Amino acid sequence: MASNVTRIRKRTEAADDVAAEVMNHVAESKQIQQSSRWEWYDAVAFVRGDQWTYWDPGARRMRRRPALPWRVRLTDNQTLPQITMQRALLTERIPAFRAMARTEEEGDVLAALGFEALLIYHWDRLDLTDKLGDALDAALVTGNGFWRVSWDANAGVPVQVPLPVGSDVAGAKDAPKAEEPKGDEAQMDDFFMPLGAEPTEETVFTGDVSVQVVSPFSMHVDTVARSLSEARWVCQESFVHMDVLRDKFGAKVDKINPDVGPQEYYNYEQHLRFDSGSANSISDDFKSRVRVLEFWEAPSKKHPSGRVITVAGGMTL
C-alpha cells in the first residue's frame, strides 16, 4: 500500500554555516509538513472540481485516476460554492478604521476623520480587499493563509537627489560617495562653481508598502511554535529568475547555478495557481530560476537586532 508521506530531497551542500543553519530549519519544517501536504493538494483538487485525482507520493504530484472506458464521469462540485460564499462573507466589508481625536476641538476631530479617510484610501490603493480574499482562499482550503507586508525601497515616485545628500545626509549605505576635490578645486570657494559644472545626481525612489499573498506551500514557520506570534523564525521559499537575483545582489549571483528541476516545476505551478500539475515540459525561462530562501529571525540574546538572511544555491547572499 502506497504511503502518503513525501520523500524529502537530499539537502543541498551549504557554502557557509549561516546558509547551512537556514537550510536545516527549512528541511526540518518540510519533514514535519510532509504528512499534511498531500491533504492540502487533495483539498485544492476538490475545490477546483478535479475530484478524480490522487496524490502520488513517489512522483510528488497529483495524478488522475484511471477510468473504465464504459464509465462516464460527472463532477458535482459542491465545495467551490461553499468556499466562494465564505470568502464573500469575510470580505463583504473592509476593516473599520477608527482614529481618536486628542481633544474635542474641531481641528483635532477633523484631523482624526482625515486620518480614517487616508487609511481607507491606502486600503483601496493597495488592492487589499482582493489580496485579503486570495489569502482567505488559501486559508479556507488548506487552513493557512499568509500576507507578507514589507517596505519596497524601489517603489514609489522617482526623485533626483544630489550624491552628497543621498549618501551622507540620508545615510544610504550603498550609495556612491562624493569624490573629494583635488588640486585647484580644493581651494575653490564653496559659494562659487565654474561654468558648466553640475552636481552629480542619482535617482532614488520614495518607497512604498508592499503587501503580497504568500502561498502556504512556500511558508515555513518555527517548528516548535504554537502560533505565528510565538515563532522564533519564519522562512519563505520561492523560485526567482537569475536576472532578478543578479539585479538585487550583484556579481556574487554568478556563482549560483539554477537548481529548478521538473519535480520542482510541477509543484511550484501547483503552489502558485493551485494547479494539478498537468504540464509535461519545463519552459526555458523556468530553467533559469533558482530556489531562494528568505529567512527572518526574531531578536534574541545572540542576535539582539534579529536577522534577515537570504540563501540561494547553498550560499548566503
Side-chain angles (χ1 to χ4, degrees), residues 93-111:
R93 300 176 182 176
I94 66 173
F97 300 108
R98 181 66 175 171
M100 301 296 295
R102 292 183 299 176
T103 66
E104 295 182 357
E105 295 183 2
E106 182 179 4
D108 290 341
V109 174
L110 293 176

Side-chain angles (χ1 to χ4, degrees), residues 82-279:
Q82 292 294 325
I83 297 296
T84 304
M85 182 182 65
Q86 290 293 328
R87 170 176 173 162
L89 291 174
L90 293 172
T91 58
E92 180 180 5
R93 300 176 182 176
I94 66 173
F97 300 108
R98 181 66 175 171
M100 301 296 295
R102 292 183 299 176
T103 66
E104 295 182 357
E105 295 183 2
E106 182 179 4
D108 290 341
V109 174
L110 293 176
L113 293 175
F115 188 73
E116 292 178 1
L118 179 63
L119 292 176
I120 296 175
Y121 162 75
H122 285 301
W123 180 274
D124 294 335
R125 181 180 64 85
L126 297 172
D127 297 325
L128 295 187
T129 298
D130 291 339
K131 293 178 181 178
L132 175 60
D134 293 340
L136 288 172
D137 282 342
L140 291 170
V141 175
T142 67
N144 297 274
F146 296 95
W147 265 7
R148 174 179 173 177
V149 183
S150 59
W151 180 258
D152 186 356
N154 295 320
V157 181
V159 179
Q160 294 293 326
V161 179
L163 283 180
V165 176
S167 58
D168 300 334
V169 177
K173 297 180 180 180
D174 55 349
K177 302 295 182 180
E179 296 183 359
E180 296 292 336
K182 299 179 181 179
D184 296 338
E185 297 180 1
Q187 302 176 0
M188 188 178 300
D189 195 328
D190 293 339
F191 293 97
F192 297 94
M193 296 184 64
L195 294 177
E198 295 290 340
T200 305
E201 295 182 340
E202 67 171 345
T203 302
V204 297
F205 293 86
T206 56
D208 198 0
V209 177
S210 173
V211 180
Q212 301 175 355
V213 180
V214 180
S215 167
F217 293 95
S218 62
M219 279 298 297
H220 303 281
V221 184
D222 186 2
T223 54
V224 299
R226 294 176 297 178
S227 64
L228 192 60
S229 60
E230 296 181 1
R232 187 173 59 89
W233 59 266
V234 294
C235 182
Q236 180 182 352
E237 181 181 16
S238 57
F239 292 137
V240 181
H241 198 280
M242 289 292 295
D243 294 341
V244 177
L245 209 61
R246 189 176 293 107
D247 292 341
K248 186 174 182 180
F249 294 101
K252 63 173 65 176
V253 178
D254 295 336
K255 301 178 182 179
I256 300 175
N257 296 320
D259 57 356
V260 179
Q263 295 292 344
E264 287 81 7
Y265 170 72
Y266 293 135
N267 285 332
Y268 190 61
E269 290 300 309
Q270 290 172 347
H271 301 172
L272 285 185
R273 302 181 307 186
F274 279 177
D275 206 343
S276 58
S278 58

